[in-house]
Amino acid sequence: MITETQSETDREIVNNAYYDTLESWTDPNVHPVALLRAEGLLKNQWVVDTLRAEKLSPRSILDVGCGGGLLTNFLAQEGYQVTGIDLSEPSLAAAAKMDSTKSVVYRKADAYDLPFNDGEFSVVTCFDFLEHVSDPNRVIQEIMRVLAPGGLFFYHTFNKNWVAHLIAIKGVEWFVKGTPSKLHVIALFIKPKTLHKMLDANSFALLEERGLRPRLGLSFIKMLFTRRIDKNFSFVWTKYKTISYAGLAQKLR
Ligand SMILES: C[S@@+](CC[C@H](N)C(=O)[O-])C[C@H]1O[C@@H](n2cnc3c(N)ncnc32)[C@H](O)[C@@H]1O
């Protein structure tokens, strides 16, 4: 009898198949990915600034659900030794193509079953990912396993409430050209307090958490009328975690 894996079951819930259709993660006409790129500008710099402020030069970083390598390649350019895993082969190929350092190790792997030894990484990043799996606790368990004691876990995901549903799901479907159905589903969004319980149960201490929202400027208004994400579209940090939030946790032991 053939049994479905958890990640195959996830594909029936959320549109993870979409990422297999992406040959390029830098095409300005692929607007849902342009949105991810705009978000990445803020989050990627935050990771590097945090590592530098803590005077950390991590041995190795693992990017879980790296997609087209928006963060992975950025970290490699900043001089870090990075591994990116994802289930989408076309996305991994696009990521490798854009790796100007040619140093990133890209590997097809399932976040539920990471093909690495215990304690192999000093930092794990996981952006726009936990809302793509139906068992985030199992993924966090795996992340905890592959992190060295004292290792850092950077994450970004979406809050679960009607505002996030309206803006991050419905708003994106209405106002961002080319958004496929079920790109995100409210059932997989996670309330911060639910995530905190998972972190706590997996021996992580929460160090910091902050909210994220689009900047309400000209590019935002243009999007409402054209359904296009232009190159100046940007995100800003906010103390409100209503729509989405990014955090940093440390493995205790
Ligand atoms: C929204 S994208 C995020 C990509 C990247 N982290 C970023 O922020 O640009 C989600 C990614 O998760 C991948 N994915 C979904 N389920 C996965 C799993 N179980 N294991 C590994 N990757 C998975 C998808 O293929 C997709 O590339």
Side-chain angles (χ1 to χ4, degrees):
M1 193 177 78
I2 301 169
T3 51
E4 253 188 5
T5 62
Q6 186 82 41
S7 46
E8 283 163 349
T9 310
D10 291 351
R11 282 183 165 231
E12 290 159 22
I13 303 169
V14 63
N15 194 348
N16 287 340
Y18 172 66
Y19 303 98
D20 291 342
T21 67
L22 298 172
E23 278 167 22
S24 161
W25 280 59
T26 47
D27 184 340
N29 296 313
V30 181
H31 297 280
V33 180
L35 203 56
L36 262 182
R37 276 201 307 279
E39 224 182 53
L41 291 179
L42 191 67
K43 296 183 298 188
N44 297 354
Q45 193 59 50
W46 167 61
V47 174
V48 168
D49 289 346
T50 305
L51 295 176
R52 296 218 171 112
E54 300 291 324
K55 296 203 171 37
L56 291 174
S57 21
R59 230 173 349 108
S60 52
I61 302 180
L62 173 66
D63 189 20
V64 172
C66 63
L70 302 179
L71 171 63
T72 333
N73 290 339
F74 178 79
L75 291 172
Q77 276 160 20
E78 295 291 320
Y80 296 105
Q81 188 194 319
V82 201
T83 300
I85 70 103
D86 202 283
L87 276 178
S88 166
E89 286 181 82
S91 296
L92 288 167
K97 212 163 139 188
M98 294 307 294
D99 172 17
S100 59
T101 68
K102 297 291 166 222
S103 69
V104 179
V105 176
Y106 281 111
R107 189 160 166 187
K108 183 178 179 186
D110 193 331
Y112 287 120
D113 187 17
L114 295 172
F116 304 109
N117 296 326
D118 295 1
E120 205 171 318
F121 296 93
S122 25
V123 173
V124 174
T125 53
C126 191
F127 282 173
D128 266 300
F129 179 75
L130 292 171
E131 74 281 6
H132 288 272
V133 290
S134 56
D135 193 350
N137 189 55
R138 217 172 110 198
V139 171
I140 292 173
Q141 258 168 26
E142 271 298 84
I143 289 173
M144 199 275 289
R145 184 183 66 74
V146 301
L147 263 178
L152 296 178
F153 172 37
F154 290 87
Y155 57 86
H156 170 253
T157 192
F158 289 84
N159 201 341
K160 192 180 199 167
N161 55 52
W162 70 268
V163 182
H165 191 184
L166 184 70
I167 295 178
I169 298 180
K170 291 294 157 199
V172 171
E173 283 171 6
W174 293 329
F175 295 110
V176 180
K177 194 176 154 84
T179 301
S181 68
K182 295 207 293 185
L183 181 67
H184 283 126
V185 294
I186 190 70
L188 300 189
F189 282 11
I190 311 170
K191 285 187 186 297
K193 67 170 187 230
T194 310
L195 186 57
H196 299 166
K197 277 190 193 146
M198 290 181 209
L199 291 172
D200 197 41
N202 287 293
S203 300
F204 277 106
L206 182 66
L207 301 184
E208 111 167 73
E209 201 169 67
R210 41 172 89 190
L212 212 80
R213 65 160 175 82
R215 189 188 295 278
L216 305 175
L218 189 59
S219 296
F220 187 84
I221 295 166
K222 265 164 91 182
M223 174 202 70
L224 298 178
F225 290 98
T226 64
R227 304 184 71 230
R228 290 166 194 276
I229 303 294
D230 76 18
K231 62 179 180 6
N232 297 319
F233 196 100
S234 61
F235 283 79
V236 288
W237 296 118
T238 156
K239 63 180 175 182
Y240 302 107
K241 301 171 198 168
T242 320
I243 305 173
S244 79
Y245 56 101
L248 170 62
Q250 183 166 35
K251 176 173 165 168
L252 291 173
R253 49 192 150 78

